[in-house]
Amino acid sequence: HSLTGDAAGDPMDGEGEASAGNTPGDGMPLAGEVLQEVERLKALGNEEFRTGAFEAALENYAMALQKLQRLAFGSECALSSQLASNQALCFLKLAKFQEAEERASAALVADASNSKAVYRRALARLKLGEARAAMEDLQKASRLEPQNAEIRQKLAEAKELADAVPTNEAEVAVCAATASVLGKDGGLYNEKPDLNEGRLAESHQEQREWVRSIEKWSDISDVSFADDENKNTISVYMALPGIHEIAANKVCVWMTMTSLEVRIIDLQGTNWCYVAQEL
């Protein structure tokens, strides 16, 4: 069915997926009356969406989410993710792209595997001019739904837009510093043959293009953060066995004030990635 909310197919998340007597994942009894009211409000929102009453749909989704918060697991369940994702779709239809991005992000906090939310955040980020962030979302959406032609088409568009974005010199400096922190000598681009039969990655842009040519990635899940208030810094820790033995050119890190992207290439036969757009 449609991911975007076009007439073809049912765009809404979660219709018919949750029963009144079970949680959206563990089969345990719910507070039935609360869940029934949540489902009623969601159904109203879905019907209003279909008639083009997007503001009214948003109100019902918001009321449903508010009632869902009464449950102990309310903010962390699939139903919460579906409601927030539907809000993102409404905001897309209203051309309120910042709000769409925020609600899609909220949906992914509740359920990181919600492919519709990932896709809708990508659409919002494309409209906001954040081509690189949109491309990362679309890559994840493609991993979640590898047969979806709509996602593949948007991913190609996002890659083209991201390639046109000028290189950020501040990111280049961070890349070089990261190599030093990892204990690698010579900086990120000196004497580093990549996987393409020994070709050297001679620039930041070339390294970016190389990473984009790789389609299959696994998410780095063992990640923790430590906030050092005295130094006004945040440390990020990632656990990947064997990382210290890998060649420096296979560790790619890009960072801005609000985002972090880590790519680990061909670590024991697997390509790993971690992307955070809102640090």
Side-chain angles (χ1 to χ4, degrees):
H1 52 244
S2 172
L3 286 161
T4 60
D6 296 334
D10 193 338
M12 310 316 299
D13 268 354
E15 290 211 327
E17 294 177 9
S19 67
N22 297 292
T23 61
D26 59 14
M28 298 297 291
L30 282 174
E33 292 183 3
V34 174
L35 184 61
Q36 286 178 10
E37 180 64 7
V38 169
E39 293 285 4
R40 185 186 71 83
L41 289 166
K42 186 180 76 168
L44 283 175
N46 292 353
E47 186 60 34
E48 286 158 344
F49 177 89
R50 295 188 186 96
T51 64
F54 304 126
E55 295 283 4
L58 281 167
E59 290 180 8
N60 278 295
Y61 294 142
M63 287 190 290
L65 279 167
Q66 186 176 26
K67 290 183 180 297
L68 195 58
Q69 299 303 314
R70 298 177 184 176
L71 304 177
F73 55 84
S75 63
E76 300 177 354
C77 68
L79 181 55
S80 176
S81 181
Q82 293 160 11
L83 289 164
S85 179
N86 286 354
Q87 287 180 312
L89 179 56
C90 290
F91 281 125
L92 285 172
K93 291 294 186 181
L94 292 167
K96 295 183 177 181
F97 303 118
Q98 188 64 52
E99 291 90 339
E101 181 188 29
E102 291 170 359
R103 295 316 297 156
S105 294
L108 292 170
V109 169
D111 180 5
S113 66
N114 187 334
S115 60
K116 290 182 180 180
V118 178
Y119 183 77
R120 290 163 186 172
R121 187 170 68 175
L123 296 182
R125 286 174 167 174
L126 281 174
K127 292 294 186 179
L128 292 169
E130 301 173 7
R132 186 175 296 168
M135 185 186 71
E136 300 298 342
D137 277 341
L138 289 163
Q139 287 176 333
K140 180 175 181 179
S142 182
R143 294 195 296 273
L144 291 170
E145 295 193 28
Q147 304 304 318
N148 192 301
E150 185 178 356
I151 292 175
R152 293 198 301 272
Q153 179 182 351
K154 279 295 180 182
L155 177 56
E157 294 176 14
K159 283 182 177 180
E160 184 175 347
L161 291 170
D163 287 340
V165 176
T167 299
N168 187 324
E169 294 303 323
E171 287 187 4
V172 176
V174 170
C175 289
T178 300
S180 176
V181 169
L182 290 170
K184 312 297 184 182
D185 296 328
L188 192 60
Y189 302 113
N190 294 334
E191 299 179 0
K192 295 185 174 66
D194 66 17
L195 299 181
N196 297 326
E197 298 181 355
R199 179 179 59 79
L200 296 179
E202 297 177 348
S203 69
H204 174 77
Q205 183 63 30
E206 188 173 355
Q207 192 83 358
R208 272 287 187 189
E209 292 171 357
W210 173 36
V211 166
R212 287 177 189 144
S213 71
I214 301 172
E215 295 183 355
K216 187 174 182 180
W217 297 92
S218 297
D219 293 326
I220 301 173
S221 58
D222 191 352
V223 181
S224 60
F225 296 84
D227 189 355
D228 189 338
E229 296 181 356
N230 295 328
K231 297 182 180 179
N232 195 29
T233 61
I234 297 177
S235 298
V236 184
Y237 299 91
M238 301 181 185
L240 278 177
I243 186 63
H244 294 294
E245 285 73 39
I246 198 170
N249 72 306
K250 296 182 181 180
V251 178
C252 306
V253 180
W254 293 278
M255 183 169 65
T256 67
M257 292 294 292
T258 60
S259 67
L260 171 66
E261 176 181 350
V262 179
R263 302 279 177 173
I264 310 297
I265 315 255
D266 193 25
L267 175 59
Q268 299 176 357
T270 302
N271 302 315
W272 297 90
C273 72
Y274 176 80
V275 180
Q277 297 295 343
E278 299 176 2
L279 293 178

